[in-house]
């Protein structure tokens, strides 16, 4: 009887330890997006992530892929709100609510100044996967469009460009907490012949930070 009772107590203790020190719960898993470090705090749904163009770089709309002719903006920034941030590996979703450009110049023949660059139809659905691919997508009703108003020798012209395939993609790098877009193709949607027929968007945004957390820690992708 004493042996049996001792075994019963030992089994109960073992079960208690197992329940206390068992595998981590799903909600303790590292999420696709973390702040501070790759193993840092999981970013909460509803957090706002911001970034501006990396120091010393510009956000460019070239008239040809890889070209140097076009519009260059010394200031550009975006803001997104986290919609879902599942455990890694996976796909986090966001809503890009703002994307701005300022201090823009042009070296296009006949263009004297850049009056404005405006991203239309925000917000856009945005995803970031564990492979580090960022995809910004429009819809049939609200495509990804950018309106560029130029001053020319013949007066002011308004040029509207729409993303090919209604999406643009970028790449995340944890080394500098950046998102890099390279030669993302846009076609002229409306505008006179003085507008370029196409635009190729290139920009590096860094660092991406979580402004909903004190200290605005950098964002990592897992």
């Amino acid at each position: 009887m004493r042996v049996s009772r001792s075994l019963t107590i030992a089994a109960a203790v073992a079960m208690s330890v197992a329940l206390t020190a068992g595998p981590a719960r799903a909600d303790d898993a590292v999420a696709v997006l973390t702040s501070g470090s790759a193993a840092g705090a999981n970013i909460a749904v509803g957090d706002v992530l911001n970034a501006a163009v990396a120091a010393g770089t510009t956000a460019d709309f070239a008239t040809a892929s890889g070209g140097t002719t076009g519009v260059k903006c010394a200031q550009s920034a975006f803001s997104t709100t986290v919609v879902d941030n599942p455990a890694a590996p996976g796909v986090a979703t966001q809503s890009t609510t703002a994307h701005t450009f300022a201090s823009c110049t042009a070296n296009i023949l006949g263009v004297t100044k850049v009056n404005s660059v405006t991203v239309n139809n925000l917000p856009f659905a945005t995803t970031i996967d564990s492979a580090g691919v960022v995809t910004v997508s429009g819809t049939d009703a609200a495509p990804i469009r950018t309106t560029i108003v130029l001053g020319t020798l013949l007066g002011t012209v308004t040029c509207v460009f729409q993303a090919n395939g209604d999406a643009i993609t970028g790449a995340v790098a944890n080394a500098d907490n950046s998102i890099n877009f390279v030669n993302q193709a846009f076609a002229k949607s409306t505008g006179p012949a003085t507008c370029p027929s196409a635009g190729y968007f290139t920009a590096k945004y860094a660092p991406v930070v979580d402004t909903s957390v004190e200290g605005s820690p950098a964002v990592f992708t897992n």
Side-chain angles (χ1 to χ4, degrees), residues 8-22:
T8 301
I9 293 172
V13 171
M15 182 175 293
S16 175
V17 171
L19 290 172
T20 303

Side-chain angles (χ1 to χ4, degrees), residues 30-33 85-92 127-134 172 174 220-222:
V30 174
V32 175
L33 302 176
N85 187 25
V91 179
T127 61
I128 301 180
D129 65 26
S130 291
V133 177
V134 178
V172 170
N174 281 344
F220 290 77
T221 301
N222 304 286

Side-chain angles (χ1 to χ4, degrees), residues 35-80:
S35 61
S37 68
N42 292 341
I43 292 177
V45 170
D47 277 14
V48 176
L49 313 183
N50 290 332
V53 287
T57 70
T58 55
D60 303 340
F61 295 90
T63 58
S65 180
T68 57
T69 299
V71 173
K72 294 180 178 292
C73 298
Q75 298 178 30
S76 180
F78 72 80
S79 181
T80 71

